Structures are given as C-alpha cells and as structure tokens.
Amino acid sequence: MRKIKRFKITLREREILNRLMRELPLLRRAGFQSQPEVSAFISEIFKQIDPGVVYEFNQDAHWELDDQSILHKEMFSACAVTLGDKLAPFLQALPNDDKRTAAITVILEFLKTAILFVVDLIKEQAQKEECETLDLQFVYIPPFGAAGAPKMLREAVRLEKTVADKALPTILPHLHAEKIEVSLAPDGQLLPTYTSVFFVPWQKAKKKGKK
C-alpha cells in the first residue's frame, strides 16, 4: 500500500510571525526594520516550497538494516517528506547569516506542518482499518544549525544515529523516494536539504469496554 503525493500546506503566517517576533535581536541583525517586512519574508519563503511525500504501510515487515536486524515493527508506515529543491538556492542568495538563520526557522515550521499533514493522512488510513497510530519516530531530521526548531522536531524521538545511518539506504529504495526527487548524499545527509524520514507505528484499536 504505497502512496506518492504532491500536496499543499497552509501558510500559517500569523503563527510563524509570532514565533519569529520572539527573536527580535536576530531580526534586527538580519536587517529587518518592521513587522510587515518579516511577514513578506515568510510569504516569500512559502513560495519556494514544493512539498512531496512517499509513504508505505508495512504489516509484519522485517527490514534487514544490519546483522542484528534491529528494526522490527509489526505494523507501521514509513514516510519521506520533502519541501522541495528551491530552498537551498534561496538560502544561499540571502545577504547574511542572520537572515539565513531566520529563514531556516521559518522553513522548519513549514516542515513541521508538512509532517503533521502526512501523519493526519496516515491516521485516517489507520482508522479505516480499525487501527490507531502511535507517536512517530524519526529516522532523519535535517540539521537545525543556529535556527530555532519547533518543539515537535527539537524533542522528537529518533532512532539511534548508528542505526539510522544504516537504515536510510534501506528505507529510501523501499519507499521509491526518487519519485519525489529525494536521495542520500555521500555525507549521509538527505537531498533536498529540508527532508525528513520517519515511522508511524500502528496498533489495533482498543475496543471500548461494555457498559
């Protein structure tokens, strides 16, 4: 049961603006003079994103990741979500590091929105199968650098790094990640840069007790 999808996410301008306005020293160093300038900056970044996802449901799957076969889950959806390849040149063209840091803060908010969009799709799918989803577990999250990451990414449950490094070359072909132009660079980072890979475990829904 494989899904390949291009999708749209909401701008959430007011929410992201409020988030950025808590970083006034950063914004001043970046050269912003007013709140409308920051709002326009958020909108400009939004125009650069082209979200895509591939995800696949696995039941009783056993993906061989290493000699110990560390990863084994009875039911789960494996997912790769990307914001597309326009963000890297956009960031490179910005005039200073502080403006790049502000931009990455915005991008990570959009990545969070994209991930939650996909998680909701999977949750709906699970409910149709009389199942429920558990908390997602990340295999790969892009580096934050000096940017402020959303709590969901900052405090995310992750595979141990050595396991994750071995897992990615196995997971991406299973997902046919090339369908959304996602690939693994020689240094172990995913391309495009703002891409995430994660699992959403399933379990049979608990039946309500009789009254």
Side-chain angles (χ1 to χ4, degrees):
M1 188 174 9
R2 179 177 293 118
K3 301 288 184 181
I4 301 169
K5 188 178 181 68
R6 289 287 177 184
F7 61 98
K8 300 294 182 184
I9 62 173
T10 54
L11 175 56
R12 295 170 47 230
E13 182 180 327
R14 175 57 56 182
E15 181 183 341
I16 296 175
L17 176 62
N18 290 340
R19 166 71 185 85
L20 267 188
M21 294 305 291
R22 296 200 294 269
E23 307 288 346
L24 283 177
L26 171 67
L27 296 178
R28 291 193 184 106
R29 292 195 307 270
F32 292 103
Q33 301 294 322
S34 67
Q35 185 170 304
E37 285 184 17
V38 180
S39 293
F41 185 61
I42 294 168
S43 297
E44 183 62 25
I45 295 170
F46 184 72
K47 293 174 185 175
Q48 310 303 318
I49 66 174
D50 181 22
V53 61
V54 283
Y55 60 98
E56 183 177 0
F57 173 70
N58 293 268
Q59 184 164 7
D60 300 323
H62 196 172
W63 290 0
E64 300 287 345
L65 301 182
D66 59 16
D67 293 340
Q68 285 77 43
S69 301
I70 290 174
L71 181 66
H72 178 65
K73 300 173 185 292
E74 291 183 358
M75 291 193 295
F76 65 93
S77 289
C79 316
V81 175
T82 184
L83 296 184
D85 61 3
K86 296 179 182 178
L87 290 167
F90 175 83
L91 287 170
Q92 196 169 24
L94 292 176
N96 58 64
D97 287 343
D98 290 311
K99 202 158 193 175
R100 272 187 285 277
T101 297
I104 293 168
T105 299
V106 174
I107 290 166
L108 293 172
E109 290 287 343
F110 288 142
L111 182 61
K112 179 189 84 169
T113 301
I115 290 168
L116 291 177
F117 175 88
V118 173
V119 169
D120 284 343
L121 288 179
I122 293 169
K123 188 179 294 185
E124 290 176 11
Q125 186 180 354
Q127 289 171 348
K128 291 176 184 177
E129 302 293 333
E130 298 185 345
C131 293
E132 57 191 14
T133 55
L134 305 176
D135 292 341
L136 65 165
Q137 183 177 31
F138 284 92
V139 181
Y140 182 89
I141 301 175
F144 304 153
K151 183 177 179 181
M152 187 194 81
L153 299 181
R154 204 173 57 245
E155 299 181 1
V157 175
R158 305 193 196 192
L159 283 186
E160 197 274 323
K161 188 177 186 306
T162 56
V163 178
D165 289 345
K166 293 178 181 178
L168 280 174
T170 299
I171 294 168
L172 296 180
H174 273 284
L175 291 176
H176 292 266
E178 74 278 1
K179 298 289 187 182
I180 54 169
E181 292 83 45
V182 167
S183 61
L184 188 62
D187 64 0
Q189 294 198 30
L190 286 185
L191 298 174
T193 302
Y194 293 99
T195 298
S196 181
V197 175
F198 56 93
F199 295 114
V200 181
W202 293 34
Q203 69 179 14
K204 288 292 183 183
K206 296 175 182 176
K207 294 184 179 179
K208 296 179 181 179
K210 295 180 180 179
K211 293 184 178 179

